[in-house]
């Protein structure tokens, strides 16, 4: 029974440590996992600020292997419950390369009124695949003359059908919901502005070559060129910081586990002075005596670490936590063989090393038979005899020495401080990234450039609005 009890304690503690280790690895790998889930980074990202999409021209360039595009359109979807315009940005074309389809299907390229929407739109309007929304549009002429969204909509109006739901990494950097209509909508009289093209180059081609080829197109110098990373550097930095915080918590927890469990296993396996003398009289060397005790400690330690790995798998769905969770393409249980095998082996080796050093040290030291003053003072202030007895047991070993207890208390105190600090760091980081006001996005909405007013006139007109603070 003592072996089983000790093994259960080892399992619970090591399970918590291995959960943190596997969680740190899963968090740090979330950007890569999401990028792989959407098909990988694009080689290039081209932005066309106005006019009909020049996708066909770009696709014909020598260095371009394939190209997809989506174009901003002047369209407003009405919430069927309130008959008011939804707060969403609408595009037409291919879904953004930073998104992945999680329900339904892609919009039919021959059906202009089909669209896909992100999870934010679906949640805000209680929508599902098959939901219909009345759509108002502004004409191409209205868009070209800065009257899109400002004048009465004169473009086609129709019933849009939600056919698919996408998940996008962009939501970590903005709160905007997005809808993407079929590319066939671009053939109708609907105002358009910016087009984003995702380019995958042919083998051997470079962005420098693509820049040169773009410059050779009529008006091609107006096309901007950037790298096509699915996850921005800012998001990667934030996720990396969270992963480092989790690694810190894992390291502190591992140190605490080795100290606490090492003490427990040492007490479980340590031989009394009489037992050591008996074995020595039989011809056992000091190393053999310690080795026998280590083997005795290894049974509950190895079993506990193995069961702890199972606990870590069952708890793996906790991670990634916080804002990084939205990047994990496959939430739920995960078996991280590297973290569980390597982490478990290191924990087991550290525990047995602690037991071995503890046993060898006990052989050399002169045991203090009298209890320490501090321990005795605490015991005398205990509210009951049972508490006093427990205090004396906690601060001495089974032979009456307080040497091990002192060092254990000091180390555990430092570990408690480390756990508190790392937990505070992780919580503060999550608030920093998830609370937009903490990094400057403390406004209600932004005003774009789609207006005939200059900046000064626009500012003056907004200042007169009693609803604007």
């Amino acid at each position: 029974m003592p072996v089983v009890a000790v093994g259960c304690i080892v399992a619970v503690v090591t399970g918590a440590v291995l959960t943190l280790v596997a969680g740190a690895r899963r968090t740090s790998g979330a950007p890569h996992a999401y990028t792989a889930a959407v098909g990988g980074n694009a080689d290039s990202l081209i932005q066309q600020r106005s006019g009909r999409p020049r996708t066909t021209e770009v696709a014909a360039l020598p260095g371009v292997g394939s190209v997809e595009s989506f174009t901003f359109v002047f369209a407003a979807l009405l919430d069927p419950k309130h008959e008011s315009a939804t707060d969403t940005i609408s595009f037409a074309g291919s879904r953004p390369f930073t998104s992945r389809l999680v329900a339904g299907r892609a919009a039919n390229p021959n059906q202009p009124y089909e669209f896909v929407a992100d999870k934010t739109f679906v949640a805000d309007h209680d929508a599902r695949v098959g939901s219909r929304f009345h759509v108002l549009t502004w004409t191409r002429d209205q868009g070209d003359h800065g009257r899109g969204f400002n004048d009465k909509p004169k473009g086609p109006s129709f019933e849009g059908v939600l056919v698919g739901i996408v998940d996008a990494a962009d939501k970590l950097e903005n709160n905007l919901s997005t809808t993407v209509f079929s590319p066939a909508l671009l053939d109708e009289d609907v105002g358009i502005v910016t087009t984003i093209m995702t380019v995958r180059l042919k083998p051997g081609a470079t962005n420098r070559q693509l820049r040169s080829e773009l410059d050779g197109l009529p008006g091609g110098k107006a096309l901007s060129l950037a790298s096509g990373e699915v996850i921005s550097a800012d998001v990667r930095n934030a996720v990396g910081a969270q992963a480092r915080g989790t690694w810190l918590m894992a390291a502190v927890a591992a140190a605490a586990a080795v100290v606490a469990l090492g003490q427990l296993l040492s007490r479980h396996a340590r031989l009394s002075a009489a037992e050591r003398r008996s074995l020595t009289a039989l011809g056992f060397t000091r190393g053999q005596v310690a080795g026998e005790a280590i083997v005795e400690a290894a049974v509950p330690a190895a079993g506990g670490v193995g069961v702890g790995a199972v606990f870590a798998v069952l708890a793996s769905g906790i991670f990634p936590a916080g804002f990084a969770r939205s990047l994990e393409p496959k939430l739920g249980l995960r078996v991280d063989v590297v973290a569980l095998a390597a982490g478990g082996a290191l924990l087991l080796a550290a525990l047995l090393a602690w037991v071995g050093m503890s046993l060898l040290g006990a052989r050399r030291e002169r045991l203090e038979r009298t209890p320490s003053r501090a321990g005795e003072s605490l015991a005398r202030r205990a509210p009951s005899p049972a508490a006093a007895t427990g205090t004396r047991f906690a601060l001495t070993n089974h032979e009456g020495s307080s040497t091990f207890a002192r060092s254990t208390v000091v180390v555990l105190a430092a570990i408690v401080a480390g756990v508190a600090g790392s937990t505070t760091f992780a919580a503060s980081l999550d608030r920093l990234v998830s609370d937009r006001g903490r990094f400057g996005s403390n406004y209600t909405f932004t005003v774009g450039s789609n207006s005939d007013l200059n900046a000064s006139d626009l500012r003056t007109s907004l200042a007169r609005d009693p609803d604007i603070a």
Side-chain angles (χ1 to χ4, degrees):
M1 288 301 294
V3 174
V4 174
V6 172
C8 289
I9 296 173
V10 173
V12 172
V13 176
T14 57
V17 175
L18 293 176
T19 297
L20 289 172
V21 172
R25 280 174 49 83
R26 192 172 190 178
T27 300
S28 62
H32 176 74
Y34 185 91
T35 300
V38 300
N41 291 322
D43 295 310
S44 315
L45 211 61
I46 298 174
Q47 182 174 5
Q48 176 187 335
R49 297 188 179 279
S50 61
R52 291 278 296 177
R54 305 181 67 177
T55 310
T56 304
E57 295 176 75
V58 173
L61 296 175
V64 174
S66 64
V67 59
E68 293 182 334
S69 68
F70 56 97
T71 303
F72 177 85
V73 295
F74 288 102
L77 287 79
L78 302 183
D79 189 319
K81 293 183 179 179
H82 307 97
E83 285 299 317
S84 58
T86 60
D87 184 16
T88 185
I89 297 178
S90 296
F91 299 90
S94 305
R95 62 179 173 83
F97 79 111
T98 58
S99 65
R100 62 190 181 98
L101 193 67
V102 295
R105 59 174 175 83
N108 189 326
N110 299 316
Q111 298 294 328
Y113 306 147
E114 292 185 352
F115 70 95
V116 299
D118 61 17
K119 287 183 175 180
T120 303
F121 177 90
V122 171
D124 288 346
H125 305 289
D126 194 23
R128 61 183 182 276
V129 173
S131 296
R132 293 178 176 270
F133 291 81
H134 190 65
V135 183
L136 303 177
T137 67
W138 285 255
T139 65
R140 192 149 297 161
D141 180 73
Q142 287 178 301
D144 292 342
H145 291 85
R147 297 195 297 273
F149 298 132
N150 295 321
D151 286 352
K152 180 180 179 180
K154 299 179 180 179
S157 62
F158 54 87
E159 290 293 316
V161 182
L162 176 63
V163 298
I165 300 172
V166 298
D167 187 19
D170 301 347
K171 62 191 174 187
L172 291 175
E173 299 182 271
N174 61 66
N175 285 327
L176 300 174
S177 64
T178 302
T179 56
V180 183
F181 285 87
S182 163
L185 185 62
L186 296 174
D187 296 329
E188 308 229 348
D189 186 16
V190 176
I192 59 177
V193 189
T194 302
T195 296
I196 303 295
M197 289 177 253
T198 305
V199 176
R200 301 193 186 277
L201 300 174
K202 291 181 178 179
T206 64
N207 275 338
R208 177 173 294 185
Q209 176 186 338
L210 178 59
R211 178 71 270 174
S212 177
E213 293 173 356
L214 289 173
D215 292 343
L217 294 175
K221 294 184 182 297
L223 301 174
S224 64
L225 179 64
S227 61
E229 288 190 342
V230 173
I231 308 296
S232 70
D234 289 339
V235 173
R236 288 181 181 274
N237 288 338
V239 174
Q242 186 181 41
R244 286 191 292 274
T246 308
W247 275 118
L248 178 60
M249 292 181 66
V252 174
V258 170
V259 173
L261 296 180
Q263 188 79 353
L264 175 66
L265 290 168
S266 297
R267 288 175 177 268
H268 171 73
R270 186 179 296 128
L271 302 175
S272 66
E275 291 172 320
R276 288 198 299 269
R277 285 193 295 270
S278 298
L279 291 175
T280 302
L282 293 174
F284 277 64
T285 65
R286 181 192 305 173
Q288 289 173 329
V289 172
E292 181 178 347
I294 291 174
V295 170
E296 184 177 350
V299 174
V305 170
V307 176
V310 176
F311 288 166
V313 172
L314 296 177
S316 59
I318 299 173
F319 293 95
F323 68 93
R325 191 171 183 82
S326 59
L327 293 178
E328 176 56 48
K330 294 181 180 179
L331 294 172
L333 301 185
R334 179 181 177 184
V335 180
D336 188 335
V337 177
V338 174
L340 299 179
L346 288 174
L347 279 175
L348 180 59
L351 289 175
L352 296 182
W354 179 285
V355 172
M357 290 186 293
S358 174
L359 295 174
L360 291 174
R363 178 77 175 116
R364 290 191 299 267
E365 74 171 358
R366 182 175 62 83
L367 296 176
E368 299 178 12
R369 293 293 180 178
T370 57
S372 67
R373 292 182 180 179
E376 192 63 21
S377 176
L378 288 174
R380 288 172 180 172
R381 288 175 171 79
S384 67
T389 302
T391 301
R392 290 189 177 95
F393 270 118
L395 298 178
T396 62
N397 66 10
H398 69 279
E399 293 184 336
S401 172
S402 61
T403 303
F404 298 117
R406 289 198 201 108
S407 60
T408 301
V409 169
V410 171
V411 174
L412 285 176
I415 288 171
V416 169
V419 170
S422 57
T423 303
T424 302
F425 169 79
S428 299
L429 175 66
D430 188 66
R431 286 197 299 270
L432 173 64
V433 178
S434 58
D435 184 354
R436 304 187 64 79
R438 290 174 181 260
F439 55 86
S441 296
N442 56 352
Y443 44 80
T444 307
F445 63 89
T446 58
V447 180
S449 59
N450 183 43
S451 171
D452 293 330
L453 300 175
N454 59 36
S456 178
D457 293 338
L458 184 61
R459 187 179 300 109
T460 300
S461 64
L462 294 175
R464 295 171 182 167
D465 191 321
D467 292 328
I468 295 179

